[in-house]
Amino acid sequence: MQTERRCFPVLGNVVLGRPKDYDSRRAPQPKARRARIRNRMLLGSPVRSVGEMATGTDQVVGLGLVAVSLIIFTYYTTWVILLPFIDSQHVIHKYFLPRAYAVAIPLAAGLLLLLFVGVFITCVMLKNQKVAKKAQ
């Protein structure tokens, strides 16, 4: 089921109305500007619903990620919130790490995440600088 979407000329973040006698396809434009307009029109095209776009493999991977996240959340919540109220001699304590790791593991994971994000941004910026230098 395809629906028609109309794209109006865009100036910065402002969508301009279209005059009745204006046809943007016939106006002279530089190649780069035509490409940007074409990309905006593609972004304005109708999108299928999410269920139609996901393949079986995507759904299995997504379900696996949700299951792993729920298991980690349940384990960590039990470890941090419920375990302090249970007697330290109880048998359930042997299934959990010492409480000092309850702070150290998320802290290390957060630092690694920040490190990876910083490295990714640095690589993208360096690649863009190389492309810009080649273009000149």
Side-chain angles (χ1 to χ4, degrees), residues 106-119:
L107 183 67
L111 288 174
L112 279 174
L113 178 70
L114 285 174
L115 174 72
F116 287 137
V117 168
V119 168

